[in-house]
Amino acid sequence: MKFVFSSFLVLLAALQSATAQGIDCVATCVDDVCTFTAKVNLYAGELGYFTFEECGGIRSPTLGIELGKTYRFVQADRTNYYHPLGFAYFPDGAHADKDELEPSIVPPGSSSTCNTTETCPAPKYFQDGVYLGDWMHQDTSIDSTGDFGLDHYEPKFFHPLGDWLGYGAFEVQLTFDVDDFAQDLFYFCHIHEFMTGRIKLMNEAGEPLVAENIPALEYTYDEVDAFDETCGTFNTSSYRLPDGEFAGQCPERFVCETAESRFLQSDGNTSSPLQAFSTCLDAMNCAMMVGMTTHATSPIGLFIHQMIPHHQNAVNMAKALLKTGGMGACEDLTNEEDPNCIMEYMMYEIINNQNHQIQTMRAVLETLQEPAYADCVVTAGHDHDEEVTGSDDALANETSTNGEGTGSSGAWTLGHSLFTVLVAALWILA
Ligand SMILES: *[C@@H]1O[C@H](CO)[C@@H](O)[C@H](O)[C@H]1NC(C)=O
Ligand SMILES: *[C@@H]1O[C@H](CO)[C@@H](O)[C@H](O)[C@H]1NC(C)=O
Ligand SMILES: *[C@@H]1O[C@H](CO)[C@@H](O)[C@H](O)[C@H]1NC(C)=O
Ligand SMILES: *[C@@H]1O[C@H](CO)[C@@H](O)[C@H](O)[C@H]1NC(C)=O
């Protein structure tokens, strides 16, 4: 008991100091080589977030790395597909037009002259145990073109999943050795923005060299509520049928069995995959339908405003099938005989590919100075001659003629009006 209690105190102290220092976890080290095993939790937000085996399930954990030690970031797990790791001095690196770790980039604020010899800290990229570059960091005796392998690593993450899996384990190594650098570093995904996480430099005792978190992360991570958590989806719970906030803009159901008959079909087991997946589908399809009533801003704008909800739905469908569909395990994703493998393979392609296209389309809207959202409100089952984007009065009248829709309550009208006001405000702001 005494032993257990003192262990508990030690654990508590360790946890407290970890919290105070803001470092979520450290790598597993054997001699001088330390390893972080990267994965992506695709369900943790719209795009998913990095996790590391050494850090349990924490999404986008703050990692601690020791000055001068070599860290391996292993990207062998299949969830890393489409997520090549990068390292930068600011959140999201090049996505945010900020400096990444490169041989000739002096860490901001440092007095180092490493840029003159191309010996500044930079990652080295490996595939199947083979270094893909020729730059050797401090070893300047080797004739180098300054290539640290990224240009051979990143493109392979766009290849078909089967090819990517066949290339062998991907891995990035980083040794940070500039000792008068007084900020944090960031890992990020070279393909998707907004998946960054912090790295704090530590001394040998595991204490951070800089206590404060600088530079700041200028966005917040997505939060997933209980409904989306169950489904594996993002941003669908206000569209739950029949009583989600925006359910009134949707048909009564998309999956024709009612929740009750699904329930009967599945032997009264509410957590049966068919029951769970159908409930998720109803909500995400409603989200898509609501998202797909948009203003016509321009041909490209209209395409994008209509296509993003489509893509989001494809991503949500794929995540929900993987999470709630009760599919059998697939050992070898390239097995073209096993329906579980064929579908899991396809789900990874849909999720990663379409999320990437969504980000590309959002960037096009920004370049064209078009609004990110151009939603308008159209109720389900309305008379086709009516103008429905107008006032609350018209909306109130809609409620009574909303035969096919399910919402009939005051909450529906209120939610609906709030939604209209929100959309109008976004429209005016944009
Ligand atoms: C190296 O970086 C410093 C700033 O840290 C800059 O003043 C200098 O011009 C750079 N030298 C080279 C060769 O890039
Ligand atoms: C209900 O279905 C789930 C998922 O298939 C299964 O794990 C669970 O054991 C079932 N429960 C009952 C009571 O049959
Ligand atoms: C959720 O979707 C709605 C459109 O259906 C959008 O207005 C809102 O910004 C989304 N929320 C997040 C957090 O992406
Ligand atoms: C709403 O319905 C009432 C009665 O049916 C009608 O008098 C009124 O003009 C309608 N309002 C709108 C904005 O359509």
Side-chain angles (χ1 to χ4, degrees):
M1 186 63 200
K2 198 171 162 195
F3 169 75
V4 171
F5 185 65
S6 58
S7 309
F8 176 71
L9 285 184
V10 169
L11 182 69
L12 200 66
L15 281 175
Q16 275 174 346
S17 72
T19 313
Q21 295 163 356
I23 291 173
D24 289 319
C25 73
V26 296
T28 305
C29 301
V30 177
D31 298 328
D32 254 356
V33 181
C34 303
T35 305
F36 280 113
T37 313
K39 290 186 172 178
V40 176
N41 177 353
L42 292 167
Y43 311 117
E46 180 168 15
L47 304 164
Y49 291 109
F50 284 108
T51 62
F52 298 90
E53 255 172 36
E54 293 71 16
C55 312
I58 303 175
R59 63 105 205 263
S60 313
T62 295
L63 308 178
I65 72 171
E66 210 177 297
L67 206 62
K69 263 196 182 165
T70 297
Y71 286 82
R72 302 171 60 213
F73 291 81
V74 178
Q75 295 207 273
D77 189 80
R78 61 179 69 160
T79 58
N80 285 282
Y81 179 53
Y82 256 74
H83 298 98
L85 274 167
F87 296 91
Y89 292 106
F90 297 89
D92 284 313
H95 293 300
D97 287 325
K98 295 292 172 56
D99 279 341
E100 299 180 8
L101 275 65
E102 288 180 31
S104 55
I105 293 189
V106 176
S110 153
S111 65
S112 169
T113 56
C114 59
N115 57 341
T116 57
T117 48
E118 295 207 337
T119 54
C120 300
K124 290 200 268 180
Y125 288 86
F126 292 74
Q127 176 197 328
D128 201 20
V130 177
Y131 179 37
L132 300 172
D134 62 11
W135 172 79
M136 292 306 284
H137 201 176
Q138 295 297 2
D139 186 352
T140 50
S141 66
I142 288 153
D143 206 12
S144 159
T145 60
D147 177 359
F148 52 95
L150 174 62
D151 293 344
H152 313 284
Y153 188 92
E154 180 182 347
K156 298 201 171 80
F157 282 66
F158 286 101
H159 291 190
L161 177 56
D163 295 355
W164 182 83
L165 288 165
Y167 293 145
F170 287 93
E171 168 175 338
V172 201
Q173 294 186 3
L174 178 67
T175 311
F176 195 94
D177 57 357
V178 170
D179 61 9
D180 69 341
F181 172 63
Q183 299 188 8
D184 299 333
L185 306 172
F186 294 85
Y187 56 87
F188 67 99
C189 169
H190 265 290
I191 297 177
H192 302 86
E193 196 178 354
F194 307 120
M195 290 181 63
T196 210
R198 187 176 296 276
I199 301 177
K200 294 190 86 69
L201 295 165
M202 315 180 297
N203 61 19
E204 274 179 35
E207 294 154 349
L209 302 182
V210 181
E212 207 186 330
N213 284 345
I214 39 174
L217 178 62
E218 284 166 1
Y219 55 86
T220 53
Y221 294 122
D222 292 338
E223 294 294 340
V224 172
D225 68 14
F227 179 75
D228 279 315
E229 166 102 42
T230 306
C231 290
T233 49
F234 179 65
N235 198 12
T236 71
S237 50
S238 338
Y239 304 90
R240 275 183 83 156
L241 301 182
D243 49 13
E245 194 178 347
F246 305 125
Q249 294 177 56
C250 296
E252 191 177 8
R253 63 180 78 102
F254 289 88
V255 179
C256 289
E257 283 65 38
T258 59
E260 197 173 52
S261 64
R262 271 178 232 149
F263 181 85
L264 291 175
Q265 249 184 10
S266 56
D267 300 329
N269 186 346
T270 43
S271 60
S272 88
L274 184 61
Q275 161 82 1
F277 185 49
S278 301
T279 302
C280 301
L281 271 178
D282 274 345
M284 72 180 79
N285 286 345
C286 177
M288 176 176 71
M289 240 186 100
V290 171
M292 278 185 60
T293 50
T294 70
H295 293 284
T297 54
S298 72
I300 290 180
L302 181 56
F303 175 91
I304 294 178
H305 289 129
Q306 293 272 325
M307 188 55 87
I308 286 179
H310 255 277
H311 271 34
Q312 285 173 326
N313 202 44
V315 170
N316 278 331
M317 282 181 76
K319 289 179 175 180
L321 180 63
L322 285 177
K323 190 147 189 200
T324 70
M327 294 203 308
C330 167
E331 289 277 302
D332 174 11
L333 269 190
T334 59
N335 180 342
E336 290 173 12
E337 308 297 321
D338 180 349
N340 288 313
C341 293
I342 297 169
M343 292 309 289
E344 188 173 335
Y345 184 111
M346 193 187 293
M347 297 308 107
Y348 283 120
E349 292 212 313
I350 289 175
I351 293 167
N352 296 305
N353 219 307
Q354 303 212 14
N355 268 338
H356 177 54
Q357 289 181 348
I358 289 170
Q359 288 209 324
T360 306
M361 289 189 281
R362 284 181 177 152
V364 169
L365 288 178
E366 219 173 297
T367 306
L368 296 177
Q369 299 188 312
E370 291 219 25
Y373 296 98
D375 290 344
C376 54
V377 176
V378 180
T379 45
H382 82 100
D383 179 336
H384 284 253
D385 297 331
E386 267 175 60
E387 177 60 59
V388 292
T389 55
S391 67
D392 282 355
D393 274 0
L395 290 172
N397 281 6
E398 279 302 314
T399 321
S400 54
T401 58
N402 186 28
E404 222 180 298
T406 56
S408 57
S409 62
W412 178 82
T413 313
L414 177 65
H416 204 167
S417 309
L418 285 175
F419 187 73
T420 313
V421 168
L422 181 70
V423 168
L426 285 171
W427 182 245
I428 289 162
L429 282 176

